[in-house]
Amino acid sequence: MSSSESRSTEVAAEVSLVDVAREIIELDRAQAMRLLSSAPLGRVVFTRDALPAIRPVNHLVDADGDIIVRTRLTSRLTSAVRGNSAVVVAYEADDIDPVRHTGWSVVVTGLAQPITDPESIARYEKLLHPWVDKVMDTVITIHPEIVSGIRLVEK
């Protein structure tokens, strides 16, 4: 089979996948948090100069259901949550297949604040390793208040 015939077959297969009917299934809180726990990467949405800002970060979900991220003391995210008062943020993670148009998405809205307990910081520094080659000297927790999620499936 030539490369153009092979590509034609691939395109035909992709088109047929697009024609498959899909439906959205709402997830309950436990299902959504379980999927979020399985994702290695998410996006945190916070306020910067009164406008929404989004940053991709790796995370973990601790035993209490809080989302833990590490960042730099000088980052915009840290500046947004600095201090003793909690700040409202959103956190989103997903796993969507761009060819099959199936997968899931979870959005959490909650209160974020820096973790200040040295033992907790040390614990999370051992468990959560940054993906970038920079010092990540701040640990932030996001306590989920609103959790929503969907799964996009073929009918």
Side-chain angles (χ1 to χ4, degrees):
M1 178 181 292
S2 72
S3 65
S4 63
E5 290 173 326
S6 176
R7 180 64 189 140
S8 294
T9 303
E10 289 174 15
V11 169
E14 288 177 13
V15 169
S16 68
L17 287 174
V18 172
D19 293 337
V20 173
R22 287 167 192 74
E23 64 181 318
I24 292 176
I25 299 171
E26 297 289 331
L27 302 173
D28 65 29
R29 182 183 182 103
Q31 292 169 322
M33 291 302 293
R34 198 168 26 259
L35 287 170
L36 182 64
S37 296
S38 73
L41 178 73
R43 291 153 207 87
V44 64
V45 182
F46 58 98
T47 302
R48 175 181 171 199
D49 300 328
L51 296 171
I54 302 171
R55 292 290 180 266
V57 293
N58 63 317
H59 69 273
L60 66 82
V61 177
D62 72 9
D64 295 331
D66 288 345
I67 301 160
I68 308 298
V69 299
R70 290 181 58 198
T71 187
R72 296 180 326 277
L73 183 60
T74 58
S75 76
R76 300 278 187 183
L77 174 58
T78 302
S79 296
V81 299
R82 188 174 291 151
N84 294 329
S85 60
V87 175
V88 174
V89 299
Y91 195 82
E92 189 274 345
D94 57 53
D95 185 12
I96 306 290
D97 183 325
V99 174
R100 299 185 65 86
H101 303 168
T102 58
W104 58 266
S105 175
V106 171
V107 177
V108 170
T109 304
L111 299 173
Q113 59 190 59
I115 294 176
T116 57
D117 173 59
E119 287 182 20
S120 295
I121 292 170
R123 177 175 173 264
Y124 291 129
E125 285 176 342
K126 288 179 185 172
L127 294 172
L128 184 60
H129 302 282
W131 287 14
V132 296
D133 188 21
K134 292 191 176 189
V135 174
M136 298 295 177
D137 52 8
T138 303
V139 181
I140 295 174
T141 182
I142 302 168
H143 180 72
E145 298 291 334
I146 302 169
V147 178
S148 63
I150 61 163
R151 189 179 289 276
L152 185 59
V153 298
E154 295 175 357
K155 281 189 172 183

